[in-house]
Amino acid sequence: MSTANATAATIGYEAQLWQMADTLRGSMDAAEYKHVVLGLIFLKYISDAFERHHRKLEAERAEGADPEDPDEYRAFNIFWVPPEARWERLRQNARQSNIGQIVDAAMGAVERDNPSLKGVLPKDYARPALDKQRLGQLIDLVSNIRMGDTDARAKDVLGRVYEYFLAQFASAEGKKGGEFYTPRCIVRLLVEMLEPFKGRVYDPCCGSAGMFVQSVEFIEAHATGNGNGGRTQAQISIYGQELNYTTWRLAKMNLAIQGIDGRIEQGDTFQDDRFPDLKADYILANPPFNMKEWGGERLREDRRWKFGVPPVRNANFAWVQHIIHHLSPTGYAGFVLANGSMSSNQSGEGEIRKNIIEADLVDCMVALPGQLFYSTQIPACLWFLARDKSGRGGSRTDPTFRNRRGEVLFIDARKLGRMVDRTHRELTDEEIQRIARTYHAWRGETDVGEYMDIPGFCKSATLEEIRRHGYVLTPGRYVGAEVQDEDDEPFEEKMQRLTAQLREQQAEAAKLDEAIWKNLEELGYDG
C-alpha cells in the first residue's frame, strides 16, 4: 500500500495503539489518557530518529563525528535526546515502580535541551492516579512500533493516530461531533485547490496541525516534480491557534516531528485572537460545526463582523467573518462548514451570507459526500473565498488569473468517494485531482485545460443566478442533473420497434406456456 493511498483506517498502527490506550482505561478517563499515550509515542518517535542518526555518527567516528554532540543532530533537524530520555532506558525500566518518575524526567530533559518543545510535553506520569503497571505495559507495546523512520514520518503518524483515537474517545465518552482531526483526503483537497506555495498560511482552529503538515508536504512534492511540473519550492510562514490545551500540545509535537517551524498559539480565537493584525495569503480551516458556546454575546460590537452580527448560538458565520477579516488583499481561503451554512436563514445567517455574496467574496462551493469524518455524521461542504477575483492578484502558476468577478463555481462531489471500511468513506487521489483541476481551469490556469460546465458536477453561476435562488449556495441547485445517453431515434419509429418486439415476446411466451402444459399432461398433471 502506498503512502499516498494510506488512510487513517488502514495505516496499520491504530488497533495496537488503541489497545495501548485501553490498558489505562481503568485508571483514568479518555480525555486524560489520550495525551499520556500520544506523549509516549512522541518520545519513542524522536528517540528512534535520534538512534538512527546516532548509529550513523558512530560509524563516522573515525572521520571526526561525535555521536554525543547535540549540534550533530540539530544540523539535520533531529532532536537531541539526552541519555536519561532515550527510549531504551524507559524500556529497561518499564517494570520498575518508579517508571512514572523516569518518564517525567525524560520529558523534562527533552524540553530542557530542545527549546521549541518547552511547555509542550506531558510531565505527569508519576501522579498516583496513573497505574504504573499499566504504564509499563504501555511502554512495552510502544517499544514494538517503529516511529522515527522515514515512512512513519511521511505518514503524519501523530495526526492520523489522533484522528483515529478521537473517534474512539468520542464513542467511549458518548459524545457526538466536537473537536476532531480533519480527514487527510479533505485536507489534501483544500491544499490542492488553494496551492499554498508561498506567503502566510493561517489556521484559526488548527487542531493537531494537519493543515500545515499537508501544506508543506504539497510544496515538497511539487518542488521535486511529483505531480505538477516541478515548480520551485517557495517559503511559507505558518500561523495557527488552538483553544484546547491538550490539542495545542499535540499540534506542537506534530510540527516538531515534521521539522516545521510555525507560530502555534493556544487560546480562544474569538475572545483572544493571538494574531489580531495578521493578513494571511492562505487560510485553511475546519472549524467546529454549529458551535453553540462561543461567547458571541460578549462580541456584539466586534470589528470582525463587517457583514452582520453572527447569531449567539451558532458560530458558523463568526468563523467565516473571522477568516475574511484575516485575508490579505489578494488572499484565498478554503474551509469546511456544515451544510446548513449554505442555506440557513435562521438568526440573520441568510442576511450575512447575502452580504458576503454581494461583496463578491465567494469563489467556489463544493458539496462533499457523507461519511468522511470519524466523529460526526453532519453533512459538510467546502467554502472557498477570494479577496480579489479580478485575476490581477497573480496566480500560483500563471502571470494572471481569469477575471471571475460576479461568478461563483459550484461543484457537486456528493457522489464521489469510496468506502474504506463499513462506516467511513474517503475521496480517492483521482477524485481530488478532478475537483482541484476543475477549480484551477475555472480560475484560468493554462496547464489544466479549458473549463467547461458539466451537468451534474460543476457549474459557473453568475451573481444574478444566485440572487434568483435566494442566495442559497447549495451546488445541487446549480449544477443540474447528469446528462443521460442521447437517444436520436424518432418517437414514431421507436414505438413501432418496441410494439413489434412486445408482440414477439408475447408469442414466445405463449409457446413456452404450451410446452410447459404439455409436459405436465405427460406426467399426469393435466389440471
Side-chain angles (χ1 to χ4, degrees), residues 340-502:
S341 64
M342 298 188 289
S343 59
S344 171
N345 289 314
Q346 295 181 350
S347 305
E349 289 184 325
E351 189 65 22
I352 298 172
R353 187 174 59 252
K354 170 187 172 182
N355 293 337
I356 293 170
I357 293 168
E358 287 291 355
D360 207 11
L361 290 168
V362 181
D363 208 35
C364 177
M365 299 295 301
V366 180
L368 296 173
Q371 298 179 281
L372 290 175
F373 298 96
Y374 276 80
S375 58
T376 181
Q377 292 302 312
I378 299 173
C381 61
L382 301 182
W383 286 62
F384 291 89
L385 305 179
R387 270 289 193 188
D388 182 1
K389 295 162 70 173
S390 69
R392 293 176 305 191
S395 164
R396 289 138 300 197
T397 55
D398 298 316
T400 59
F401 274 156
R402 180 173 177 178
N403 186 339
R404 285 295 187 179
R405 282 178 172 167
E407 296 177 71
V408 176
L409 176 63
F410 290 94
I411 298 177
D412 191 344
R414 289 175 298 172
K415 294 181 180 179
L416 303 185
R418 64 181 177 88
M419 299 301 292
V420 293
D421 58 33
R422 190 173 55 83
T423 57
H424 298 120
R425 182 185 304 274
E426 73 169 8
L427 296 171
T428 66
D429 292 348
E430 294 75 18
E431 290 167 338
I432 289 169
Q433 287 301 320
R434 181 189 179 194
I435 296 169
R437 286 178 176 273
T438 298
Y439 178 55
H440 296 161
W442 181 79
R443 291 297 290 155
E445 296 190 19
T446 57
D447 58 350
V448 290
E450 285 292 320
Y451 170 80
M452 291 180 59
D453 288 343
I454 301 174
F457 179 66
C458 63
K459 161 75 173 177
S460 181
T462 65
L463 288 185
E464 184 53 43
E465 289 177 85
I466 297 171
R467 292 182 189 113
R468 290 201 300 269
H469 282 281
Y471 297 97
V472 170
L473 293 175
T474 308
R477 290 215 178 184
Y478 301 91
V479 302
E482 291 183 65
V483 175
Q484 302 299 318
D485 290 338
E486 290 189 8
D487 187 352
D488 296 328
E489 186 176 9
F491 177 77
E492 290 296 333
E493 293 180 13
K494 177 184 281 191
M495 284 305 296
Q496 288 181 2
R497 178 177 58 78
L498 292 176
T499 302
Q501 184 178 330
L502 179 61

Side-chain angles (χ1 to χ4, degrees), residues 234-249:
Q235 295 297 311
I236 61 173
S237 303
I238 285 171
Y239 302 86
Q241 186 162 342
E242 171 57 39
L243 173 61
N244 184 284
Y245 179 69
T246 300
T247 309
W248 169 80
R249 289 159 68 176

